[in-house]
Amino acid sequence: MSGSREVALITGAGRGIGAATARELGRRGYHVVVNFRSNVDAARAVALDVEAAGATAQCVQADVCDPDQAERMVDAVLADQGRIDVLVCNANTAAPPFAPLASLAWKDFINKVSGELAGAFFVTQQVLAAMRGHGGGRIVYVSSTAADYVGSNRLSHSTAKSALNTFSRHVAAEAASYGITVNTIAPGSVRTEASAPIFTPEREKHLETHSVLQRVLEPEDIAAVIGQAVDAGMRSVTGALIRIDAGFGVLVGGPSSTA
C-alpha cells in the first residue's frame, strides 16, 4: 500500500466522489489536500473526517479552471509539503446542458467541453512539472461512462468526457518516461448530491436491476477503485480507462440510446 505521508491533491474534494476519495486516501496513509472552489465549510468537514481517522489534511481554495488559481494552489502545496505524489482530477467544473443538437446553443455546448478540459489542463500542467522533478507520481482523472453512450440528449456531456479520456492518454504518453502513471476512471451513475435529481424511483430500480451489486453505486465505491489505481501495485498500469459501473454496460447489452 502506498501512502506513509505521501501527498495526494484531490480537486473538487468537498463533496461526492471527491470527498469519499479524500477519506479513502487518508485511510491509506496519505496527507490529503482537499481542494474546493467555494464551499469552505464542506471542505473543512472532509478534512476533519480525514484527521479523525488518523491521517493529516489541509484545505486549499482554487477554481481549477483558472490558470492563475491552479498555479497558486500547486505552489502553496509544494511550499507547505515539498511534494505532490498523487493528483486526482475530480472537480465537476461545468454542468452539462441536456438538449438535442437542434436546440443546443453553441455557447452551452462548448462551455461544457472547455470547462471539462480546463479543470484538468491547468492543474495537470503544474503538478506534472513537480512530479517530473520528484521522479514519479500518479495521476487519475475522473471521467464517466457517458462517453460511451449516445442519445438521451447527452451530446455535450458525452463529447466532453470523450475529450477528457483522450487528453488523459496523451498525458500518460508524455509522463511515462518520468515514472509517472496516468489513468482514467469512468463511473456510471453514482448517488451524489449533484446526481440526486435524476434518481427517480424508476431510474433507481433500473440501475439496481442492472448491477452486479444489486444496488446503486455510492461515492465510496468509486473512491475504493481510485485508491487501488494510485497504489504502488498498479505502477505497471498507465494510459488505462477503468469503467466502474457495477456491470451495467454488459447487463444492458452495451451502449444504447436507452441506457
Side-chain angles (χ1 to χ4, degrees), residues 3 34 65 92 116 126 143 184 196 213 217 223 227 250 254 256:
V34 179
C65 291
N92 182 19
E116 190 78 37
Q126 299 298 321
S143 182
T184 303
L213 301 174
L217 285 165
V250 292
S256 73

Side-chain angles (χ1 to χ4, degrees), residues 7-11 13 22 31-35 56-60 73 77 81:
V7 177
L9 168 60
I10 306 161
T11 68
H31 172 79
V32 178
V33 181
V34 179
N35 160 251
T56 57
Q58 67 186 101
C59 299
V60 180
M73 174 180 68
V77 175
Q81 299 295 324

Side-chain angles (χ1 to χ4, degrees), residues 172-219:
E174 289 193 23
S177 61
Y178 298 97
I180 301 164
T181 63
V182 181
N183 293 295
T184 303
I185 62 106
S189 295
V190 183
R191 193 198 310 276
T192 66
E193 180 181 330
S195 66
I198 71 168
F199 275 92
T200 63
E202 295 77 16
R203 177 65 175 167
E204 189 152 342
K205 180 64 176 176
H206 182 63
L207 293 170
E208 290 172 356
T209 302
H210 297 90
S211 168
V212 70
L213 301 174
Q214 299 298 301
R215 61 170 174 79
V216 173
L217 285 165
E218 302 288 348

Side-chain angles (χ1 to χ4, degrees), residues 23-153:
R23 298 183 187 102
E24 173 68 19
L25 296 190
R27 185 184 67 79
R28 288 171 171 265
Y30 291 89
H31 172 79
V32 178
V33 181
V34 179
N35 160 251
F36 68 99
R37 182 175 60 183
S38 57
N39 193 336
V40 63
D41 292 335
R44 285 173 176 164
V46 173
L48 287 173
D49 287 344
V50 171
E51 292 171 347
T56 57
Q58 67 186 101
C59 299
V60 180
Q61 189 279 331
D63 179 349
V64 292
C65 291
D66 182 309
D68 293 332
Q69 292 189 42
E71 182 177 7
R72 286 196 295 270
M73 174 180 68
V74 173
D75 285 347
V77 175
L78 292 174
D80 189 58
Q81 299 295 324
R83 58 195 286 175
I84 297 174
D85 301 279
V86 169
L87 168 65
V88 179
C89 284
N90 162 79
N92 182 19
T93 55
F98 290 101
L101 178 60
S103 60
L104 181 62
W106 168 252
K107 67 177 180 62
D108 295 330
F109 172 81
I110 203 61
N111 281 349
K112 172 57 183 174
V113 176
S114 63
E116 190 78 37
L117 294 177
F121 185 91
F122 298 119
V123 71
T124 297
Q125 270 193 331
Q126 299 298 321
V127 172
L128 196 58
M131 287 181 172
R132 284 197 299 262
H134 188 64
R138 284 90 72 201
I139 299 174
V140 174
Y141 296 99
V142 179
S143 182
S144 170
T145 58
D148 300 334
Y149 293 94
V150 298
S152 300
N153 298 327

